[in-house]
Amino acid sequence: MENNLSNIKKLLNDLEKYCTKKAKLYDVENLAGPQGKVLYYLYKNKDKKIFVKDIEKKFDMTKSVTSNLLKRMEKNNFIEIIPSKKDKRYKQVVLTSYAENKIPNLLLFTADVHSVLGKDISKDDWLITKKVLKQLAENILKEENSDV
């Protein structure tokens, strides 16, 4: 099992380096990770009002992690946070025009990475991989919850 864990760590490290390198080519350096996921989520749901709490739930993040992520995104000019006029506790998260202009490159970047990763891998093997990764995550979660 130790060798498998080493292989997983190496894969994750290689994937991170590869995505960072590719992201620069597509001019989406800050969007290869969580910021990109949130940006894509906001883009796909631009016809809806999305609030900070929605992002917390969607990405299963704590309040502080979400807050820090959104502050970085606001600093990078990807989003605007608009307090509700009725209730200041509710803050709507809106894409900026700068972020919307990045979407085509983000989509191309994502398609390129998926194409490279999926090369010569059958649909059945992808399904098995997805199942195994899900089971690994569930095993970790069960173990973490049993320690409480």
Side-chain angles (χ1 to χ4, degrees):
M1 186 65 151
E2 184 177 317
N3 192 24
N4 289 339
L5 291 177
S6 295
N7 290 338
I8 290 170
K9 285 180 182 179
K10 181 177 179 349
L11 172 64
L12 291 174
N13 188 36
D14 291 346
L15 182 59
E16 186 174 344
K17 282 194 274 186
Y18 175 76
C19 285
T20 299
K21 181 179 161 186
K22 275 288 187 181
K24 286 180 184 173
L25 293 174
Y26 285 96
D27 191 30
V28 291
E29 292 94 332
N30 295 324
L31 300 175
Q35 291 186 59
K37 289 177 185 173
V38 171
L39 189 104
Y40 184 72
Y41 171 71
L42 292 169
Y43 170 73
K44 286 303 235 182
N45 293 283
K46 62 183 172 187
D47 57 325
K48 300 174 187 163
K49 284 189 175 186
I50 303 293
F51 295 93
V52 172
K53 287 246 182 243
D54 299 321
I55 293 170
E56 283 176 28
K57 284 182 187 175
K58 170 68 179 167
F59 296 99
D60 193 27
M61 296 186 294
T62 64
K63 195 174 194 172
S64 64
V65 169
T66 305
S67 176
N68 288 331
L69 174 62
L70 295 178
K71 281 178 189 173
R72 279 195 319 275
M73 292 182 73
E74 194 170 32
K75 181 181 174 191
N76 290 331
N77 196 29
F78 294 132
I79 61 165
E80 203 176 327
I81 298 176
I82 304 167
S84 168
K85 291 176 182 171
K86 295 178 183 176
D87 187 342
K88 298 291 183 202
R89 294 175 297 174
Y90 290 96
K91 294 173 177 60
Q92 186 179 356
V93 183
V94 180
L95 287 178
T96 62
S97 57
Y98 174 76
E100 288 194 25
N101 290 332
K102 291 282 188 181
I103 294 292
N105 285 6
L106 179 62
L107 297 175
L108 289 171
F109 160 76
T110 303
D112 189 359
V113 170
H114 284 229
S115 172
V116 169
L117 290 177
K119 188 176 179 186
D120 300 327
I121 299 176
S122 72
K123 186 177 180 179
D124 287 344
D125 285 348
W126 268 120
L127 292 172
I128 291 168
T129 301
K130 186 177 177 180
K131 181 180 177 185
V132 170
L133 291 173
K134 183 180 177 188
Q135 187 61 56
L136 289 170
E138 287 175 5
N139 289 348
I140 291 169
L141 188 61
K142 284 179 194 173
E143 184 65 22
E144 285 177 345
N145 289 337
S146 71
D147 289 344
V148 178

